[in-house]
Amino acid sequence: IKQRGGGVWKTHDGLGWTNPYNETVWKYNVDVAVVAAKAGFDEIMFDYIRFPTDGNLQKARYPGERPEPRNETIARFLAYAKKRLDPLGVKVGAAVFGLAATRNIGIGQSPKLMARHLDVIHPMVYPQAYGSGECNVDRPSQSPGRIVNCSIQDFRQVLSGQDIKIIPWLQDYGGYTLDQIRAQVAAAARWQT
């Protein structure tokens, strides 16, 4: 991603970000995935498969930008990846924000569109990422089991009828106690079949 006026656009942490429209980047990422699959990995999970969320987004310029919703751009990448990886017998997965199941958060993550090209989806159901009132919980970070349960239920509803496995990422940072981590694990386990 370029900066308006020239140079590389960066996040608040000073990191560059690859351009989701750039098909040369697609090829490079999938080339790496192909090598991993041939080395014996049984799943390729794409993380940060989205547009950036922090930094001065108003100054970001995307060379090759297409007149399509961001959700479609990310889904097109996954279709390309799936086409190249399927012959290798490897599962294709992607990590997505937990809130992506219930709303368009503007970063190109539509679980329903993405699931068409995935075997596994990994919602990041980190309770501290949820605001007051999400899942009818006043303090989501203090009710991790309820948040995980609600979020997985949202994903199951949105992905109903699609042949995809849901494996959530859980939160183990931010001072969580062993009991709070166990509550998340128990909530996730209830949904596994």
Side-chain angles (χ1 to χ4, degrees):
I1 301 173
K2 301 293 183 184
Q3 172 108 353
R4 291 194 191 282
V8 174
W9 177 88
K10 295 185 179 176
T11 66
H12 289 309
D13 292 331
L15 303 173
W17 195 277
T18 59
N19 181 351
Y21 296 105
N22 187 328
E23 293 184 11
T24 301
V25 171
W26 293 13
K27 182 179 182 318
Y28 175 82
N29 287 335
V30 177
D31 285 349
V32 171
V34 164
V35 170
K38 288 181 177 178
F41 288 89
D42 61 358
E43 180 186 339
I44 303 299
M45 190 213 48
F46 292 101
D47 197 5
Y48 285 82
I49 183 71
R50 60 180 174 80
F51 285 77
T53 57
D54 73 286
N56 188 339
L57 299 173
Q58 301 301 322
K59 290 190 174 185
R61 188 175 64 77
Y62 300 89
E65 184 172 358
R66 295 171 57 124
E68 67 186 1
R70 289 179 169 186
N71 295 341
E72 290 179 19
T73 303
I74 298 303
R76 278 191 316 106
F77 165 74
L78 290 172
Y80 168 76
K82 182 79 168 155
K83 183 177 179 180
R84 288 197 50 207
L85 292 167
D86 257 0
L88 302 174
V90 66
K91 293 188 183 323
V92 178
V96 297
F97 284 170
L99 292 170
T102 57
R103 66 193 63 144
N104 180 352
I105 51 181
I107 60 172
Q109 290 185 343
S110 167
K112 193 167 191 162
L113 284 178
M114 295 170 78
R116 296 175 187 163
H117 314 291
L118 297 172
D119 301 297
V120 185
I121 195 160
H122 298 276
M124 298 178 292
V125 292
Y126 308 150
Q128 287 185 346
Y130 290 70
S132 180
E134 298 287 349
C135 295
N136 295 315
V137 175
D138 289 334
R139 297 177 59 200
S141 64
Q142 298 303 309
S143 300
R146 286 180 59 194
I147 293 297
V148 169
N149 183 65
C150 172
S151 297
I152 294 173
Q153 184 175 7
D154 288 342
F155 272 87
R156 287 178 61 98
Q157 182 176 1
V158 135
L159 300 174
S160 176
Q162 298 206 40
D163 185 22
I164 188 164
K165 188 167 182 87
I166 301 168
I167 302 175
W169 284 95
L170 306 176
Q171 182 176 335
D172 184 17
Y173 65 88
Y176 267 22
T177 66
L178 186 55
D179 285 341
Q180 289 172 312
I181 295 165
R182 284 183 176 143
Q184 293 177 81
V185 171
R190 279 194 293 275
W191 291 103
Q192 299 306 307
T193 56

